[in-house]
Amino acid sequence: MIEKNLEELKKVYQETKMPDYLIYNGWADLKFKLPNQQNNFFRNLVTKGLVFASICLLVSAGLIKSAQAAKPGDLLFPIKDFTQNVKAKITGNYQEIIQDRAQDVIDLSSKSQDKLNEAIRVYKQTVKDSQDNTKDSEKSQELKNTIEHQNEEIQKIENQDRNNSGHTNEDQQNVVQGVKTSTEQKNLLDNQKHKDQEGD
Amino acid sequence: MLHFALFCVTYYRLVKYCPMDEIENLTKLAQRGDKNAFGAIYNLFYKKIYRYCMYNLNSQEQALDITQETFLKAWKSMPSFSQTSTGTMQAYLFKIAKNLIIDSSRKKKTESLENYQNLPMESNFEENFDTKSDIAKLKSAINTLDEKEKQIIILHYFEELSGSEIAKIVSIREGALRVRTHRILKKLKEKLGENS
């Protein structure tokens, strides 16, 4: 019964009278109101671009933030290394990155041997790069001295290391001690410099 | 050989001039900003959209406005139209119309009852129902259903849209739609006292 009534109602529904306006002027009037699709297309493209750029920015910021805790040999370490290098190149201050690498060596001295070796390699590479980059800079004389001092320490310990057969924990401890000493010396020099400036 | 050639020609014509294929081509052109292609889409669907609005709103003036508004909105969002996410062009238009009808009904509710009673009845439904009391009762019963159920009945029984299209319009899963349609029919039967 209901099915039959639904069929009847469907007929009434489908026989709905169309107003003349819609038949004769509906499209003509609407056509004038339609905005230019090209503009919409570009607006849409710009919106999508902005959304994509914002997502990329957020992801990059998150990655950089997470990478700050990475140590040599970690997956995110290259990101940390890259951002610190960029920062050092822009500001011309290489002390921070060298100190950070030295700190990595100290932190990893009690961890796995592979990671410590990697930390030492990265440290030496950073020192070398910093020396190359500050070769012609007048301002960075102090930094050069620090780097050279730290480099000498490493070189000395490495030579001792080569004379012995293979790497031992003792060798690594020497390297770590060398880095520690040079970092402490640098910190002492910094403190002395600050005191002198305050005295002046 | 001749039969095979005839079959190929017929098949090609069927495929080439199949309405769905034609609508897809028109949609692609409209997405690139072709107003004439959109005009062809308008001519294909404006009657369906108008009668759908008319049935829901019971006012010729409002149905006209919402029909035009539906196509205007569809044109504006044409660049983001995608058959996979929004369904067919027909489903897309019905969905826009449905949302506009709901918005309009909400506004209508805020108007005073007094103004309502003074409104002239512009629908041809009521006149027809006076003589056909069973159909009038059925229409009243449909009007007592909730908004989603009412739309399912209209789109399924009166517009004869496919299950996937209705599912997209009323935003439910196709599987759930079948169950729901069955339940609504049962509910209508109960309302009309057919079960007793």
Side-chain angles (χ1 to χ4, degrees), chain A residues 1-38 40-42 44 48, chain B residues 30-31 33 35-36 38-39 42 46-47 50-52 54-55 60 64 68 71-72 75-76 78-80 124-125 128-129 134-135 138 142 154 157-160 185 188-189 192 194:
Chain A
M1 182 69 178
I2 193 166
E3 284 83 0
K4 197 188 154 197
N5 285 339
L6 276 168
E7 274 299 314
E8 287 294 316
L9 191 55
K10 182 181 147 188
K11 277 181 199 162
V12 177
Y13 176 91
Q14 290 185 336
E15 281 164 12
T16 305
K17 201 182 157 196
M18 288 292 136
D20 288 346
Y21 164 78
L22 208 59
I23 299 166
Y24 301 110
N25 300 312
W27 169 242
D29 280 0
L30 185 72
K31 199 177 176 181
F32 281 109
K33 290 178 192 166
L34 300 181
N36 198 349
Q37 196 72 281
Q38 204 68 20
N40 281 344
F41 176 76
F42 275 113
N44 208 14
K48 279 180 184 170
Chain B
Q31 280 187 299
K35 287 185 182 177
N36 291 329
F38 191 71
Y42 178 92
Y46 82 91
K47 283 181 184 168
Y50 174 78
R51 68 189 182 200
Y52 175 68
M54 186 67 192
Y55 184 89
Q60 194 187 65
L64 256 174
Q68 296 293 80
F71 284 97
L72 190 64
W75 170 260
K76 283 178 182 172
M78 213 58 195
S80 60
N124 59 342
F125 287 114
N128 294 335
F129 295 151
D134 281 349
I135 302 171
L138 178 61
I142 292 170
I154 298 168
Y157 288 101
F158 306 160
E159 284 296 345
E160 293 180 326
L185 208 61
L188 277 175
K189 277 181 185 173
L192 294 166
E194 278 188 27

Side-chain angles (χ1 to χ4, degrees), chain A residues 144-167:
Chain A
K144 273 184 195 175
N145 294 339
T146 313
I147 291 170
E148 276 163 17
H149 183 70
Q150 282 189 339
N151 217 17
E152 277 166 24
E153 286 288 336
I154 293 284
Q155 202 65 46
K156 204 161 69 184
I157 294 157
E158 206 177 36
N159 288 340
Q160 280 176 1
D161 197 32
R162 276 192 196 125
N163 292 335
N164 296 327
S165 54
H167 289 276

